[in-house]
Amino acid sequence: MLFLALLLQAPASLPSPPPQDAPEIRVTAPGKAFGQTPATLVVEPVGMFLAACDADGDAETTRNEMQDCVARSFAAFDTGQTGQLRYFPFADWAERYLGDRNALPSPFDVDRDGDNQVSLDELQAHFSRLFTRFDRNTDGALSRAELLTIRTTAADANGPVPDPAARGPRKERRDRR
């Protein structure tokens, strides 16, 4: 009787085993069965920069907003106020404003006169060409939708994933013993 009384007073919150019908949780590599779906909409680093140039907060970047933004960002690294950035300071600029020292545009693409420096005029001209490329509806403003890029190849966190079908038929190995 005493045992039964103690049993009834015991806490009811004893750990219970997991339910038998609980789904199994599997983590697999992207691109594999049940893996993460590859991103099909991505934004280029320069697209992120252009979106951040939206000064009035209307979710569109005009050409004037872009030019002002490029000039401000350039001035932050042109500490000697020479109007020129050598390639290493340009890489510092790219790391801060594009997210990586090697992000495009590269200084080799921007430096049109080949003097191993990027001038504000060269950077403005390059961004003007980029603006034109992104402005698909030619209304003079870049919307967030225009700054998205549709990826047509499968990719994971490490970049493009080769298509197994593109490798051709699999050849069987023969044991040559």
Side-chain angles (χ1 to χ4, degrees):
M1 203 43 117
L2 181 59
F3 176 75
L4 184 59
L6 288 174
L7 185 62
L8 290 174
Q9 291 179 357
S13 61
L14 295 175
S16 60
Q20 295 299 321
D21 60 343
E24 178 183 340
I25 298 174
R26 277 201 233 162
V27 178
T28 60
K32 305 292 182 199
F34 305 108
Q36 179 178 342
T37 302
T40 55
L41 292 173
V42 294
V43 64
E44 297 175 46
V46 73
M48 289 190 310
F49 176 82
L50 290 168
C53 289
D54 172 22
D56 61 8
D58 66 352
E60 290 188 333
T61 301
T62 65
R63 194 174 289 272
N64 286 338
E65 286 174 321
M66 183 259 320
Q67 289 173 336
D68 293 344
C69 183
V70 169
R72 277 191 313 275
S73 70
F74 187 92
F77 285 87
D78 183 18
T79 56
Q81 298 178 339
T82 63
Q84 305 280 335
L85 293 179
R86 289 198 133 336
Y87 287 2
F88 284 120
F90 183 86
D92 294 338
W93 174 89
E95 183 173 35
R96 175 184 263 173
Y97 292 104
L98 303 178
D100 189 89
R101 299 176 69 76
N102 298 308
L104 297 177
S106 80
F108 306 106
D109 292 333
V110 179
D111 180 16
R112 294 295 209 162
D113 62 10
D115 65 353
N116 296 325
Q117 299 183 95
V118 173
S119 70
L120 176 58
D121 289 340
E122 287 172 323
L123 191 59
Q124 292 282 24
H126 193 82
F127 268 85
S128 183
R129 289 188 294 277
L130 289 167
F131 189 97
T132 300
R133 175 173 65 96
F134 281 111
D135 189 15
R136 291 190 299 262
N137 64 5
T138 66
D139 67 349
L142 301 177
S143 69
R144 300 306 190 259
E146 288 174 304
L147 294 172
L148 291 175
T149 300
I150 298 173
R151 182 182 292 166
T152 57
T153 59
D156 63 15
N158 298 316
V161 176
D163 182 6
R167 287 188 231 150
R170 190 179 236 184
K171 294 180 181 177
E172 289 189 35
R173 293 166 132 197
R174 293 186 186 179
D175 193 5
R176 297 183 185 197
R177 286 190 232 176

